[in-house]
Amino acid sequence: MDFNFPLILVIAVFLTGVLAACDYFLLAPRRRLAVDQYKASTSDVDDEVVLKITKEPAVFETAKSIFPILLIVLVVRSFLFEPFQIPSGSMKPTLAIGDFILVNKYAYGIRLPVIGTKVVNVNDPQRGDVMVFKEPANPTINFIKRVVGLPGDTIQYKDKQLFINGELVEEQFIAQLHEQNIPYKLLEENLGGVKHQIRENVGMQIQLRRLDGEWTVPEGHYFVMGDNRDNSNDSRSWGFVPDANVVGKAIYIWMHWPSWGQLPSFKNNGAIE
């Protein structure tokens, strides 16, 4: 089941904040006034009566208790760091199914929660970065890919070879391996000094010609690809990533759960594909 967790969190912070403010500025002064009036009306003050008068309604007490926690979660998750899940193999061998990653939300600028409007510009995505972004066709789903093309670049992918601005991207063969009886090559790719491993299936050139093409990246957009080059739904299929869709930079794998398929998948909280 899909759900918009950022929106739910913002609404929860707003509602609990309003309730806490109403109690602090309106109801609490009335309770204090009622206590003062009670004390002035009798010489035999009953502590139980005072406690009854000053007791906060349960809904306001709960709101005041959880509001600071929700606010901290909102600030950290929206502006600093956010955890994501990896339920697909499009970034193998860099990221495996079951990896839980930490994403730096302020690496590419500070954005407002839910609407994603950038309010403070910090840095722009760089070639070779592993970036989380919202799928252009469906912004409710998060994707994770590697940045290959920057604004103004010309990208060409042909016969499993990557060219950037007419220059062949350097690759070094590491090994030929098998996964579920499917042979693949493990290569080290050098994207402008950023070295990382990629994988290419062996003997599937004809089936994968649909991935071939040439693209010029427009201003304010990025061209992204999965490190699992023959099994990735990326810019070769659906085009460019607008800057407005950028979420953050993946920086750390903090946990791995090998039986990922047994866990529920929350698309709005996961880096899908």
Side-chain angles (χ1 to χ4, degrees), residues 131 133-137 143 145-150 155 210-218 220-226 232-243 245:
M131 182 175 74
F133 57 93
K134 297 183 182 300
E135 182 191 10
F143 272 33
K145 306 291 177 188
R146 190 174 297 277
V147 178
V148 172
L150 305 178
I155 308 298
R210 61 181 178 81
L211 299 177
D212 290 354
E214 183 174 317
W215 306 265
T216 299
V217 186
H221 292 73
Y222 302 93
F223 191 93
V224 298
M225 297 173 66
S232 174
N233 179 23
D234 52 39
S235 289
R236 293 170 294 175
S237 301
W238 40 255
F240 311 105
V241 178
D243 183 72
N245 288 46

Side-chain angles (χ1 to χ4, degrees), residues 40-221:
S41 65
T42 180
S43 58
D44 186 15
V45 177
D46 189 333
D47 291 339
E48 291 187 0
V49 174
V50 174
L51 289 175
K52 185 176 180 180
I53 295 174
T54 56
K55 182 175 177 57
E56 300 175 353
V59 63
F60 293 98
E61 183 180 8
T62 301
K64 289 171 66 176
S65 299
I66 66 175
F67 170 69
I69 300 173
L70 293 177
L71 182 61
I72 292 173
V73 172
L74 177 64
V75 170
V76 172
R77 189 184 184 279
S78 300
F79 305 117
L80 301 177
F81 300 98
E82 182 178 358
F84 282 85
Q85 312 155 347
I86 306 295
S88 77
S90 70
M91 282 297 292
K92 290 181 178 179
T94 304
L95 297 172
I97 297 174
D99 283 347
F100 286 71
I101 63 171
L102 192 64
V103 172
N104 185 330
K105 299 292 289 286
Y106 62 85
Y108 303 138
I110 297 176
R111 300 172 186 269
L112 296 177
V114 181
I115 60 176
T117 302
K118 185 185 289 187
V119 293
V120 178
N121 188 36
V122 179
N123 291 308
D124 294 323
Q126 300 299 308
R127 199 186 326 279
D129 288 356
V130 177
M131 182 175 74
V132 173
F133 57 93
K134 297 183 182 300
E135 182 191 10
N138 186 0
T140 63
I141 298 177
N142 293 302
F143 272 33
I144 183 166
K145 306 291 177 188
R146 190 174 297 277
V147 178
V148 172
L150 305 178
D153 285 345
T154 296
I155 308 298
Q156 184 182 28
Y157 190 77
K158 183 177 180 181
D159 297 330
K160 298 191 179 184
Q161 290 188 310
L162 176 63
F163 298 83
I164 300 178
N165 297 324
E167 295 186 8
L168 177 64
V169 173
E170 176 186 341
E171 293 179 355
Q172 182 177 351
F173 176 80
I174 297 177
Q176 182 162 318
L177 306 170
H178 290 77
E179 183 178 61
Q180 297 179 343
N181 295 323
I182 298 176
Y184 68 91
K185 292 187 296 183
L186 195 63
L187 307 168
E188 183 181 75
E189 182 178 73
N190 187 345
L191 279 177
V194 178
K195 295 182 179 181
H196 57 278
Q197 292 184 354
I198 63 172
R199 59 181 284 176
E200 296 177 352
N201 290 341
V202 176
M204 297 182 64
Q205 284 82 353
I206 295 177
Q207 297 95 316
L208 294 169
R209 282 178 182 170
R210 61 181 178 81
L211 299 177
D212 290 354
E214 183 174 317
W215 306 265
T216 299
V217 186
E219 287 298 319
H221 292 73

Side-chain angles (χ1 to χ4, degrees), residues 254-265:
W254 58 274
M255 187 177 76
H256 177 77
W257 189 286
S259 300
W260 167 253
Q262 299 177 11
L263 297 177
S265 175

